[in-house]
Amino acid sequence: MKKLLLIAALIMTFVGNTFAQWYVYRNSTETPNFIRIYGSFNYGSMKETINGESISFNPLGITVGGMLSPNLTINTLHRMPLFLEAGVEATYNYGHTNEHISVNGQNAPLIGGANHVELKDADGNEYKAVKYEGSERKLNMISASVPVNLAYSFDFANGKLSIVPFLGANFKFNIISKVTDGEETYNLIKQEDVNLFQFGLNAGVSFVIVRGFYAGYRMQYDIMEYADNVKTMTHSLQIGYRF
């Protein structure tokens, strides 16, 4: 609970600072800027590897968020359509799989399973891992993220169409992570199987069309693992409004 309160305090501090910056930029006659709100559909990739054997599945999810994008002035005489995007997001993901991994006859629970089975014998040799089809297991995840991107706007048709590629970093806080296997539900956050914080990279492009409506694509690759030996990546289709 203390960890969750700390995460919440950090997010609220960031939101407060972001609003203060937006107010200053919004009332500035020297630096054009915009804010945007959006939602997205997410297609994820998760891969857990235990003793050389892997389980892969693809959680689906939704994200809602908002970003501040102040224009970066190169100097007092020239400006470029170069923007620093920073914001806050909330994401819900859901995934399921029938794949299981057994290590020396011990069933490894989904996500962080290596923490609950013996991986090596007394001589330090790894036990053989076996993948098999079993009961369906469901994974529910909620996270909060702070994306920070550098974006450049290519404007066409007198500003009626803009193509905005971006590249940046993502700071993610995992809040809820639960696995349901039959009638049993496991809280992976409480069991400390899941990392509370992940750092990753963002890349993508947005298309702004007529009065600020836009659609875009983003790829997020998490450099830090979701849990030990669990790698994650997310592809997102976004739609929103920029004003």
Side-chain angles (χ1 to χ4, degrees), residues 108-164:
L110 177 68
I111 305 300
N115 297 328
H116 301 276
V117 296
E118 293 292 334
L119 301 179
K120 298 180 180 180
D121 60 23
D123 297 323
N125 300 312
E126 287 189 350
Y127 288 122
K128 179 178 176 57
V130 178
K131 183 167 67 173
Y132 64 95
E133 293 288 326
S135 61
E136 183 182 55
R137 292 179 292 175
K138 302 175 183 178
L139 177 62
N140 289 276
M141 301 166 284
I142 295 178
S143 62
S145 299
V146 178
V148 180
N149 302 316
L150 191 63
Y152 192 94
S153 181
F154 296 93
D155 298 325
F156 303 93
N158 295 322
K160 294 181 179 179
L161 171 65
S162 299
I163 300 176
V164 188

Side-chain angles (χ1 to χ4, degrees), residues 2-241:
K2 290 182 179 180
K3 292 180 179 179
L4 294 180
L5 290 175
L6 177 59
I7 291 172
L10 291 173
I11 293 175
M12 291 302 295
T13 299
F14 178 83
V15 171
N17 290 338
T18 299
F19 179 81
Q21 293 175 21
W22 169 79
Y23 182 83
V24 172
Y25 281 113
R26 197 68 177 175
N27 289 277
S28 171
T29 58
E30 298 180 356
T31 307
N33 67 101
F34 56 85
I35 61 175
R36 60 188 176 98
I37 55 175
Y38 55 89
S40 68
F41 171 76
N42 309 319
Y43 177 83
S45 171
M46 299 188 76
K47 182 177 181 180
E48 180 171 23
T49 303
I50 301 176
N51 281 15
E53 191 61 78
S54 299
I55 292 176
S56 297
F57 65 107
N58 304 106
L60 303 178
I62 56 173
T63 295
V64 292
M67 300 193 69
L68 163 73
S69 302
N71 180 281
L72 300 179
T73 54
I74 305 304
N75 55 49
T76 57
L77 298 178
H78 299 88
R79 278 196 292 246
M80 295 176 63
L82 186 66
F83 295 86
L84 181 66
E85 301 184 322
V88 177
E89 299 177 340
T91 298
Y92 168 75
N93 286 321
Y94 166 82
H96 64 94
T97 182
N98 292 320
E99 295 182 337
H100 295 247
I101 292 181
S102 175
V103 181
N104 193 35
Q106 307 169 86
N107 185 48
L110 177 68
I111 305 300
N115 297 328
H116 301 276
V117 296
E118 293 292 334
L119 301 179
K120 298 180 180 180
D121 60 23
D123 297 323
N125 300 312
E126 287 189 350
Y127 288 122
K128 179 178 176 57
V130 178
K131 183 167 67 173
Y132 64 95
E133 293 288 326
S135 61
E136 183 182 55
R137 292 179 292 175
K138 302 175 183 178
L139 177 62
N140 289 276
M141 301 166 284
I142 295 178
S143 62
S145 299
V146 178
V148 180
N149 302 316
L150 191 63
Y152 192 94
S153 181
F154 296 93
D155 298 325
F156 303 93
N158 295 322
K160 294 181 179 179
L161 171 65
S162 299
I163 300 176
V164 188
F166 59 87
L167 178 67
N170 190 71
F171 305 89
K172 183 166 66 175
F173 303 90
N174 296 311
I175 300 172
I176 293 177
S177 182
K178 293 183 177 181
V179 169
T180 300
D181 188 350
E183 296 182 356
E184 297 290 334
T185 298
Y186 304 93
N187 187 329
L188 304 183
I189 296 291
K190 187 175 181 179
Q191 295 178 185
E192 299 185 350
D193 288 335
V194 168
N195 295 319
L196 292 179
F197 173 76
Q198 285 181 276
F199 171 77
L201 300 177
N202 293 318
V205 61
S206 296
F207 300 89
V208 183
I209 309 168
V210 184
R211 296 183 180 178
F213 290 100
Y214 82 94
Y217 163 79
R218 181 179 73 179
M219 184 277 292
Q220 178 185 315
Y221 174 73
D222 296 314
I223 296 176
M224 296 177 65
E225 295 180 333
Y226 184 69
D228 289 347
N229 304 309
V230 180
K231 299 183 181 299
T232 53
M233 178 186 295
T234 304
H235 301 274
S236 300
L237 296 178
Q238 296 183 340
I239 187 169
Y241 187 79

